[in-house]
Each structure stands twice: as structure tokens, then as C-alpha cells.
């Protein structure tokens, strides 16, 4: 992968900020948490600001290696906590610009479904898959970031790709058609039209709620059109007249924000395929709703195809 040569006339902060969207995207896809990704970027910036700049030939390559290593360290540290998580775990949602959907690979890679699949990989497999299949780095470049030799990285990449592809759900990026389906779904739920609701759900639809043990939420995934429809209607009945529903885009997916008395109470991202809703991802854990207002810029450093 070609890299821009280090510009020794640029300040450390300017050089870091130039690549920040790419670095954040890598850290987020490895960690599934915007808060943890920001922590990693802060740690990486401290290392970057202290480095002998004359020893750095390519700023972006150097920063990607630092962020990858810090993300790996962070991911290994938090895995035990996630195993003890109360109820279902979902990634911390990030608000994305509609144009993210123009890059189908980027949109899918940050989607809730893909992030859940990435969670089933071990830390090194996750780093290798993300860097190779999403960002297009070579096995040799990745080896320098994860502390393995190139042959080992190639084997890890093959194993991780096979694992991910066996578990990938069908995905369609956010679109006008998808947002219209979500609006119809929300209208049907608000008016209690269960048949209209079920008509918009795929037979194998999955609903996952993340309350983190801090608020009321379903502890286990709910599957099937009938059960998901009943669950949705039950949840809607608990909302008050003070709750406003706002359309938005999160993780490259159409979403709805449920705001009560000016506070975001919960957020639901919708997965859609062939005109039906195949997944509903509801985040209620207040710890994951603090950073959901601002649109976060994402960058893959160039558009590439999924590797075969």
C-alpha cells in the first residue's frame, strides 16, 4: 500500500489529525466501542508526539501500527469484562453520515451484525481480518503491526475470513428505500397494526437489546416474526406521549432515536434485506448513549473490494 511520506514541516498534531478518521475507524472496528477507540487514539497520540520524527519515514504507516498495537492491548484487557456483561452485548453505536453507505464495504464493516461477528474472533484474528479485508493492508504490512511473521499472518487471515464469511448476515447499506421501510414499521408499531408490522419483518428476523444490566431490556435475542412483533408492540406500549421518535443513521444503517424529555432513552438500528427487516438492534445501556449526537467521520483509506 502506498503511503504519503512524512512531512517534517507539519506539527505532530496536524499529522495525527490528518489521519484521525482512518485511525478511529480501525480502532472502532477492532474494539466495538467509540469510547475505547478514543482512548486508544489518545494513547497513540502521546506515543506519536514523543517519537523522534526523523526516524519516521511514513506517518500513516507508523500511526496505523501504533493504533493497531494499542487496540490489541485494549481488546485483550476488556475481553474478560465482556464475558461478564449482563444480557446481550452490542457495539456502542456511532452516528454516521449518509454518504458512508456509498462505500458498501465500509458500511458493512461497521454494521451491528458484522461487529457482532468480529466479536467472535480472538484479538489477533480480528486485527488481521480488519486490516486485510476491510482496509486492504498486505500480510507483510500487518505482520509488522501484530508482531507475527508474514506466513503466520497469512494463515490467520485465511482462518478469520472463513470464520467471518460463514457467519455473515445479508447486508444492504442505508438507503431511501430502507428508511421508508423503517418509517412504515414505526407507524405500524405506534398504531398497533400487528399485521402491517409483521408484513415488514423477515421470517427469521432477530431482535437484540443491550441494557447492560442498568435499564430494562430483553436479556436474550428474540427470533422469529411473531415473537419480535409482539415484543415491539409491548415496548411501544411503555413509551409515553413525551417520547419523540427521530430518524437517523447509525453504523451505516437506518435507525430511530427514542427521545424522552430531551434525553435519548434508546436507539434502534435496523438491518434490511430484500424489502424486509431482518434485524433490530436496540441499545439502551446509558453508558453507550453518551456519544451518539455527533456524526463521526469514518475512512477506509481508499475503496477496495472484499478479499476472496
Amino acid at each position: 500500500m502506498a503511503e504519503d511520506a512524512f512531512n517534517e514541516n507539519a506539527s505532530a498534531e496536524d499529522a495525527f489529525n490528518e489521519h484521525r478518521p482512518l485511525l478511529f475507524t480501525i480502532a472502532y472496528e477492532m474494539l466495538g466501542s467509540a469510547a475505547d477507540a478514543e482512548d486508544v487514539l489518545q494513547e497513540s497520540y502521546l506515543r506519536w508526539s514523543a517519537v523522534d520524527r526523523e526516524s519516521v519515514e511514513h506517518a500513516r504507516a507508523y500511526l496505523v501500527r501504533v493504533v493497531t498495537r494499542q487496540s490489541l492491548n485494549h481488546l485483550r484487557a476488556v475481553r474478560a469484562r465482556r464475558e461478564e456483561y449482563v444480557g446481550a452485548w452490542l457495539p456502542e453505536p456511532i452516528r454516521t453520515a449518509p454518504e458512508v453507505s456509498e462505500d458498501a464495504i465500509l458500511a458493512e464493516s461497521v454494521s451491528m451484525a458484522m461487529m457482532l461477528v468480529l466479536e467472535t474472533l480472538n484479538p489477533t484474528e480480528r486485527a488481521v481480518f480488519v486490516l486485510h479485508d476491510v482496509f486492504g493492508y498486505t500480510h507483510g504490512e500487518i505482520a509488522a503491526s501484530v508482531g507475527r511473521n508474514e506466513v503466520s499472518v497469512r494463515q490467520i487471515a485465511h482462518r478469520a475470513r472463513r470464520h467471518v464469511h460463514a457467519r455473515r448476515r445479508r447486508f444492504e447499506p442505508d438507503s431511501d428505500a430502507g428508511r421508508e421501510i423503517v418509517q412504515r414499521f414505526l407507524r405500524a408499531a405506534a398504531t398497533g397494526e400487528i399485521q402491517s408490522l409483521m408484513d415488514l419483518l423477515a421470517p427469521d428476523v432477530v431482535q437484540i437489546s443491550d441494557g447492560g444490566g442498568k435499564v430494562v431490556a430483553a436479556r436474550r435475542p428474540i427470533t422469529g416474526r411473531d415473537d419480535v412483533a409482539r415484543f415491539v408492540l409491548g415496548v411501544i406500549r411503555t413509551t409515553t406521549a413525551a417520547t419523540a421518535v427521530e430518524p437517523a443513521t447509525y453504523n451505516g444503517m437506518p435507525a430511530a432515536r427514542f427521545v424522552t424529555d430531551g434525553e435519548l432513552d434508546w436507539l434502534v438500528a435496523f438491518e434490511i434485506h430484500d424489502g424486509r427487516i431482518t434485524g433490530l438492534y436496540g441499545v439502551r445501556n446509558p453508558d453507550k448513549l453518551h456519544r451518539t449526537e455527533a456524526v463521526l467521520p469514518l475512512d477506509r483509506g481508499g475503496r477496495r473490494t472484499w478479499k476472496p
Side-chain angles (χ1 to χ4, degrees):
M1 173 183 298
E3 301 286 355
D4 294 330
F6 183 79
N7 179 3
E8 57 185 30
N9 293 319
S11 71
E13 184 176 2
D14 288 344
F16 190 89
N17 287 336
E18 178 184 353
H19 302 295
R20 186 181 179 87
L22 170 65
L23 301 176
F24 175 83
T25 308
I26 290 173
Y28 177 73
E29 294 201 18
M30 286 185 60
L31 297 168
S33 165
D36 290 347
E38 290 292 352
D39 287 345
V40 161
L41 262 61
Q42 179 64 27
E43 295 164 2
S44 299
Y45 176 73
L46 293 176
R47 285 164 172 75
W48 166 245
S49 61
V51 74
D52 177 6
R53 298 173 64 180
E54 293 185 357
S55 68
V56 178
E57 183 177 3
H58 298 298
R60 185 171 67 176
Y62 181 89
L63 288 168
V64 167
R65 284 197 296 271
V66 172
V67 166
T68 298
R69 290 167 183 166
Q70 293 302 312
S71 295
L72 275 170
N73 292 338
H74 205 97
L75 185 57
R76 288 166 180 148
V78 302
R79 282 180 74 85
R81 294 204 304 269
R82 290 187 185 176
E83 291 173 359
E84 299 171 356
Y85 197 81
V86 178
W89 179 91
L90 287 173
E92 181 181 347
I94 56 173
R95 194 163 195 168
T96 51
E99 52 264 29
V100 165
S101 300
E102 296 174 7
D103 183 348
I105 298 170
L106 177 60
E108 180 178 7
S109 69
V110 298
S111 69
M112 290 288 184
M114 179 57 76
M115 297 291 279
L116 287 175
V117 173
L118 294 179
E119 195 70 13
T120 65
L121 298 171
N122 69 44
T124 303
E125 289 173 339
R126 185 167 184 166
V128 169
F129 178 85
V130 165
L131 290 175
H132 187 260
D133 280 50
V134 178
F135 294 91
Y137 286 93
T138 67
H139 297 117
E141 290 169 325
I142 296 169
S145 297
V146 301
R148 301 291 185 93
N149 62 51
E150 186 172 347
V151 173
S152 175
V153 167
R154 192 179 300 275
Q155 294 170 341
I156 293 170
H158 176 73
R159 183 170 66 245
R161 188 178 309 114
R162 183 174 57 191
H163 178 96
V164 170
H165 286 195
R167 292 162 176 79
R168 284 170 71 182
R169 289 175 61 86
R170 298 159 298 184
F171 178 78
E172 294 178 6
D174 184 27
S175 65
D176 291 340
R179 289 190 288 274
E180 172 59 26
I181 289 170
V182 169
Q183 290 304 308
R184 287 164 54 196
F185 177 84
L186 293 172
R187 286 196 297 268
T191 56
E193 299 174 21
I194 189 166
Q195 188 57 54
S196 297
L197 200 66
M198 291 177 61
D199 289 343
L200 294 168
L201 296 172
D204 59 349
V205 61
V206 177
Q207 194 283 334
I208 302 176
S209 301
D210 180 344
K214 300 185 177 184
V215 294
V216 176
R219 293 290 184 92
R220 297 179 179 178
I222 299 169
T223 59
R225 179 185 290 156
D226 291 349
D227 289 343
V228 169
R230 293 191 188 94
F231 173 80
V232 169
L233 290 177
V235 170
I236 292 297
R237 292 190 191 102
T238 67
T239 61
T240 69
T243 300
V245 183
E246 303 171 353
T249 300
Y250 282 83
N251 294 75
M253 308 162 66
R257 293 162 46 89
F258 292 78
V259 180
T260 303
D261 295 326
E263 295 289 331
L264 180 61
D265 184 39
W266 49 298
L267 183 153
V268 182
F270 295 83
E271 186 177 61
I272 297 171
H273 181 73
D274 284 345
R276 298 279 183 88
I277 296 170
T278 58
L280 298 91
Y281 303 90
V283 178
R284 292 207 67 201
N285 184 343
D287 292 342
K288 296 184 179 183
L289 298 177
H290 293 318
R291 288 161 292 273
T292 56
E293 296 294 333
V295 174
L296 298 180
L298 300 178
D299 180 26
R300 245 180 358 107
R303 300 182 182 184
R304 301 170 180 85
T305 59
W306 289 101
K307 301 298 183 292

